[in-house]
Amino acid sequence: MRNKFLKTLTFLCLLAMWQQANAQVWEILDPLPEGSGRYRCHFVDAQNGWVFRTGSPQLLRTRDGGSTWTELYPMTGMCHIFMADTLVGYMIVQEEQFKLFKTTDGGNDWQRINLQFNYQNDPIKPIFFINKNVGFIANTETYFKTTDGGNTWTAMVLPYGSSTANIVNNINFIKDNVGWVAANSYGMYGKIFYTTDQGNNWQLISDEVGIVSELDNINIDTALVTFYGYGTVTHYGMAGITKNNFTYFSWLNEKIEWRKGIFINDTTVLFYGANNQNAFKMWTMHIDDGELSEIIDFPTIPMYFAAFRLPAIVFLHDSPYNIAKRIDTSYVNIPSGKIPQKELTVYPNPASNRLNIKVPDVVKRGKITITKQTGQVVFFAGIENNDEQIDITNFSAGVYLITVITDNKRFCGRFIKLKKTEP
């Protein structure tokens, strides 16, 4: 009976690891609209999404994750789309001037909203809606906010110190009240602002960055920022990560040759874009400690200029070629709020065959993730007690990082895997 139980348990573990490995493969969405320009899209979940090409009047919708598409009413000059849910959404259109449209039926019909706005260049996230009524849109030297679904708009003012950096180019909220905006001057300095009251008041939390090219947040405390170095063009950018809402950077001014970055999950960052020589590549990196690892098996030319993330799924778009998505079942939705981080007890260390992991606090339930230093997930499972033993026999030799998320707490550790030993 015991042997049967162990065999079943082993099979389930192997199945979970197999599913995990297969759930991290990039998928290219096809078919997509024909025409010119770049593909841009927005999804509200893994199944429901909208896509268009910036140079062609064709708007499509999918209800099955991109396997099939339905043609909707298009507009000339489509620039950016943001859907608050499967019915209500907003579209920025550029003709002689910028225009804003709203749909209440999933994109079949669009109505013009009376708002005059403009912005410099092409912001990273010029439009963001917390829900179908409350949203923000970038404007030259300010931004607008609506609380009634676009019927009325209020021009907002960023706080002290923003007179030298007030061109909003990135708007990002993780819950109804908590959000960030990144703003910059004309090609020079950048600043990041933080709100806990839905943008009514802002706090300047960082002016150590250049022109922000991407800002992504896992929770209130953990954020990734990539940016250009104070207007220089000798390299495309630098990057920093913070685990306490920009009070301190774990790493900053780290030269990242690739323009932008986004969290793949709670332990791994994806860098993407072009370098000085206009070569497009992608890299991954562990958020705690790791080296950049180039993705060499991507199924197509990795030419993407934008990305966005939903729980357990990442989309790469703004490309002349396609849209890519990556479903990641190892994603752990770290709760918002300050998360204590403690060390795990890991033994033996180094280890060859079996590894014991002990969590210092009482555990009711949680998830454990083991990754290589590059951020590649090699093990993912649930835990229900303080002590876990994991078979690492088939792990390749090297340094591994362990993350346990449980009861609103985060525990970290590392170990060295020795070469496989014969029984």
Side-chain angles (χ1 to χ4, degrees), residues 359-378:
V359 182
D361 292 353
V362 176
V363 175
K364 294 181 180 179
R365 67 183 182 198
K367 295 181 180 180
I368 180 172
T369 305
I370 299 179
T371 66
K372 294 182 177 180
Q373 283 187 296
T374 59
Q376 178 186 352
V377 176
V378 296

Side-chain angles (χ1 to χ4, degrees), residues 206-373:
S206 180
D207 57 2
E208 301 180 46
V209 297
I211 308 302
V212 174
S213 59
E214 186 65 86
L215 174 63
D216 190 25
N217 309 82
I218 291 181
N219 54 45
I220 289 177
D221 298 306
T222 310
L224 168 74
V225 59
T226 55
F227 55 94
Y228 298 88
Y230 299 102
T232 65
V233 292
T234 54
H235 57 271
Y236 272 117
M238 294 176 282
I241 195 166
T242 177
K243 299 177 186 175
N244 46 28
N245 201 11
F246 294 93
T247 301
Y248 173 76
F249 284 95
S250 295
W251 35 269
L252 179 66
N253 294 339
E254 188 77 24
K255 290 186 178 180
I256 301 297
E257 196 175 12
W258 316 104
R259 293 187 176 187
K260 299 177 182 179
I262 193 171
F263 290 105
I264 293 180
N265 51 44
D266 61 295
T267 63
T268 310
V269 170
L270 172 74
F271 292 108
Y272 65 97
N275 64 359
N276 291 14
Q277 289 74 42
N278 243 5
F280 283 81
K281 295 183 180 181
M282 296 195 301
W283 301 73
T284 57
M285 179 177 177
H286 195 282
I287 66 172
D288 292 321
D289 179 26
E291 299 177 357
L292 286 168
S293 176
E294 184 179 352
I295 299 176
I296 59 176
D297 58 349
F298 198 76
T300 185
I301 299 174
M303 184 180 287
Y304 302 99
F305 294 91
F308 65 93
R309 176 172 49 83
L310 303 172
I313 187 167
V314 173
F315 291 91
L316 292 169
H317 68 128
D318 200 8
S319 165
Y321 298 112
N322 53 60
I323 295 169
K325 71 175 181 179
R326 179 184 188 272
I327 298 175
D328 190 348
T329 55
S330 72
Y331 175 84
V332 180
N333 188 15
I334 302 178
S336 298
K338 293 191 178 299
I339 303 172
Q341 181 169 309
K342 300 182 180 181
E343 289 294 322
L344 294 168
T345 300
V346 181
Y347 63 95
N349 192 6
S352 298
N353 302 315
R354 296 198 175 273
L355 184 73
N356 296 285
I357 301 173
K358 185 173 182 179
V359 182
D361 292 353
V362 176
V363 175
K364 294 181 180 179
R365 67 183 182 198
K367 295 181 180 180
I368 180 172
T369 305
I370 299 179
T371 66
K372 294 182 177 180
Q373 283 187 296

Side-chain angles (χ1 to χ4, degrees), residues 154-173:
T154 302
M156 308 299 287
V157 178
L158 292 173
Y160 63 93
S162 61
S163 60
T164 57
N166 52 9
I167 302 173
V168 173
N169 68 355
N170 199 309
I171 307 170
N172 196 32
F173 277 74

Side-chain angles (χ1 to χ4, degrees), residues 27-68:
E27 176 186 348
I28 306 302
L29 300 190
D30 187 57
L32 290 174
E34 298 181 357
S36 60
R38 296 179 183 175
Y39 291 107
R40 288 181 175 172
C41 69
H42 193 252
F43 279 70
V44 296
D45 54 42
Q47 301 301 318
N48 291 280
W50 292 256
V51 63
F52 62 89
R53 295 198 77 162
T54 56
S56 303
Q58 188 180 30
L59 176 65
L60 302 182
R61 178 182 179 178
T62 181
R63 292 178 173 85
D64 55 15
S67 298
T68 59

